[in-house]
Structures are given as C-alpha cells and as structure tokens.
C-alpha cells in the first residue's frame, strides 16, 4: 500500500478523535472498522465502493453474507467478520430500550440505592453518587476504603470523577460499621471541604449520608449542610 493510502486510512480515526463521531461520514466509519484498503484503494475509497453497491444503506449492507463481503478486493474473512459484527451490534442496540436513569428525590432514595453496598460491611467505605441537573444518576462508585473507624476521602478524586462523568451534582455517603449515626468531627470537616470545592467548580453537593445496617443520617435534613 502506498503512502497516500496509508495517510487516508489514518484520517478517519483522527477526525473521529478531534471532531467527534458525528463528524465522520458513513464511508469513514466503515473504513475505521476495516482498518485498511487494498493496493489500489485506501480504506475510505474501498468503504465508499462497498456502500455504493448497497445504495449507501446500512440495512442492506447488513444483509450481505461474509462471502458477499469477501467479493470486494481487499476484504478478507477477518475484515468481513469485523463489518458483520459491527452491524450486528448496531442491530441489537436498536432493539434495546434506552434504560431510564434512576432519579433521586430524597435522602431516602440515596439510602435505598447504597444500602445494599454499605450496610453489612465491617470497615468503612466512602461512596459518591454522581447526578445530572435533573438529579438522575450518571454513575455511582466506592472511592475510598478505610479502617475499622474511618475512611479517608480525597476531595480531588471526588471532583475528578465528577468531571469525567459530566456530573453537575453529587451526593456522598459512607457507613458506620459500629452502628452509630452521629457524624464525627472528621465527617463534618470533609463535608465542608467537599461543599466548598464544589462551589468553585459549580458542582453542587446535595447531601452527605451516613449509613448503618437499617438507618441513615442526612447532613442536609439535619441542617448540617
């Protein structure tokens, strides 16, 4: 393959990375799936020819067999399987319902979401629930694990994770294995640190929840936050 073809084969990937998936044409998407063209054509040119053969219709392309795809010069069994696999993924995706994200409307909702993860532990864990502006859960995870008496929460890690998931609101929570719901001075201090850091980043701390086996304490409801 000549240098011109190699350069053209790389361009769709660069375009995808720099400008986003919506900027990539159908032939460029197919070229990315195939990875390379043949001696006479770049991957984009080969992809364009394949799509032209089915009138640029993805549904018709998905109806081609592996043997049909292998009739195109430069498409071996591996490329044909890659194309068929990508199209099958798209087909299965179209048949699935979009899952509705769970919405948080109260501290009790948070307790019900996190209780299965925290209620029976013998050591402390610090969790965060990352929400969008509608209070729908984008992501939840354990961020820190501590000893029998305490867990250490790093505010930088909390907000790094929030930014990664484009979260505009967060709720933090940790468990008290001993069963006490009373917040410690350390609990109050970390809550204030998270709250102040959130103001700088325009990411709102909605609540901090302490969880025991079957009860919870809400900093928001108790007026501590």
């Amino acid at each position: 393959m000549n240098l011109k073809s190699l350069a053209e084969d790389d361009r769709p990937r660069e375009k995808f990375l720099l400008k986003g998936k919506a900027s990539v044409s159908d032939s460029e998407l197919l070229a990315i799936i195939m990875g390379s063209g043949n001696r006479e054509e770049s991957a984009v040119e080969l992809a364009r020819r394949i799509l032209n053969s089915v009138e640029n219709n993805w549904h018709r392309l998905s109806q081609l067999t592996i043997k049909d795809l292998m009739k195109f010069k430069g498409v071996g069994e591996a490329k044909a399987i890659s194309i068929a696999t990508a199209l099958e993924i798209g087909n299965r995706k179209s048949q699935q319902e979009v899952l509705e994200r769970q919405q948080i409307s109260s501290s009790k909702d948070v307790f019900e979401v996190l209780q299965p993860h925290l209620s029976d532990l013998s050591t402390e864990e610090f969790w965060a629930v990352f929400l969008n502006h509608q209070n729908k859960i984008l992501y939840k995870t354990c961020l820190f694990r501590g000893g029998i008496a305490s867990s250490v929460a790093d505010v930088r890690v909390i907000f790094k994770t929030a930014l990664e998931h484009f979260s505009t609101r967060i709720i933090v929570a940790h468990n008290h294995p001993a069963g006490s719901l009373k917040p410690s001075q350390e609990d109050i201090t970390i809550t204030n640190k998270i709250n102040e850091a959130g103001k700088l980043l325009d990411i709102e701390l909605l609540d901090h929840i302490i969880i025991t086996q079957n009860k919870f304490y809400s900093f928001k409801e108790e007026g501590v936050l």
Side-chain angles (χ1 to χ4, degrees), residues 142-184:
C142 173
L143 292 174
F144 314 103
R145 291 181 172 89
I148 192 71
S150 65
S151 61
V152 180
D154 188 328
V155 175
R156 293 168 297 182
V157 173
I158 295 171
F159 286 101
K160 176 179 180 292
T161 308
L163 292 169
E164 287 173 349
H165 292 276
F166 302 98
S167 174
T168 56
R169 295 173 176 176
I170 60 173
I171 297 171
V172 296
H174 74 282
N175 61 316
H176 278 181
S180 171
L181 286 175
K182 184 179 180 181
S184 66

Side-chain angles (χ1 to χ4, degrees), residues 62 81-95:
S62 70
I81 290 173
S82 294
I83 295 169
T85 298
L87 291 167
E88 178 59 21
I89 290 171
N91 179 52
R92 295 186 187 189
K93 177 180 180 291
S94 68
Q95 294 178 21

